[in-house]
């Protein structure tokens, strides 16, 4: 069974790259273009993991993570932050909001897949 992944990023290029990398790895990706859209797509979905950018219009990654963690059915869903940001205080803020991990762009598809397999519980790399 393939893992279901929700990926949120305001960059069409990044969404396309994520879709390609995740599909090639055998995952079932769904994409959204910002935090508000991500919450709309998440409604009625039970992804195995979520990937989100931080800097997005309408609702940034921090607000998105907090909103996801307020939903009982998504309190334990792994959330990886995928961003150009690398400041320790932003990582701490993301962790405090409920993020599971942090990956800096540009991302290595193999490392992303490995991280998803680790956090989504398959344990395979």
């Amino acid at each position: 069974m393939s893992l279901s992944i929700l990926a949120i990023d305001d960059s069409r290029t990044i969404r396309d790259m994520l879709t390609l990398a995740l599909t090639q790895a055998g995952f079932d990706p769904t994409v959204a273009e910002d935090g508000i859209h991500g919450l709309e797509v998440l409604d009625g979905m039970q992804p195995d993991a979520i990937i989100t950018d931080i800097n997005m219009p309408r609702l940034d990654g921090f607000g998105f993570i907090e909103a996801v963690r307020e939903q009982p059915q998504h309190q334990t869903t792994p959330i990886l932050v995928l961003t150009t940001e690398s400041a320790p205080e932003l990582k701490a803020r993301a962790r405090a909001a409920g993020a599971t991990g942090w990956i800096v762009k540009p991302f290595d598809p193999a490392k992303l897949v490995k991280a998803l397999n680790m956090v989504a519980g398959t344990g395979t790399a």
Side-chain angles (χ1 to χ4, degrees):
M1 188 182 98
S2 66
L3 293 178
S4 166
I5 309 293
L6 174 59
I8 302 117
D9 200 296
D10 58 320
S11 162
R12 175 189 291 277
T13 303
I14 295 294
R15 287 194 308 271
D16 290 347
M17 288 170 60
L18 284 168
T19 298
L20 180 65
L22 295 173
T23 302
Q24 287 179 339
F27 295 143
D28 178 20
T30 302
V31 294
E33 54 200 40
D34 61 36
I36 297 288
H37 188 214
L39 290 173
E40 292 168 357
V41 171
L42 185 62
D43 188 33
M45 180 184 185
Q46 193 65 46
D48 294 297
I50 299 171
I51 300 169
T52 184
D53 189 12
I54 289 295
N55 300 311
M56 298 181 289
R58 298 204 301 162
L59 179 63
D60 68 12
F62 297 118
F64 172 79
I65 294 167
E66 290 166 356
V68 169
R69 290 302 185 219
E70 288 172 4
Q71 301 176 29
Q73 70 273 31
H74 299 300
Q75 287 180 343
T76 60
T77 303
I79 301 175
L80 293 179
V81 174
L82 179 65
T83 182
T84 56
E85 303 289 346
S86 60
E89 60 271 16
L90 294 178
K91 289 181 184 179
R93 184 174 166 200
R95 261 194 301 279
T100 310
W102 188 280
I103 298 172
V104 178
K105 294 177 190 170
F107 68 94
D108 174 341
K111 287 183 181 169
L112 178 65
V113 166
K114 184 174 183 178
L116 284 167
N117 278 323
M118 285 172 53
V119 300
T122 64
T124 58

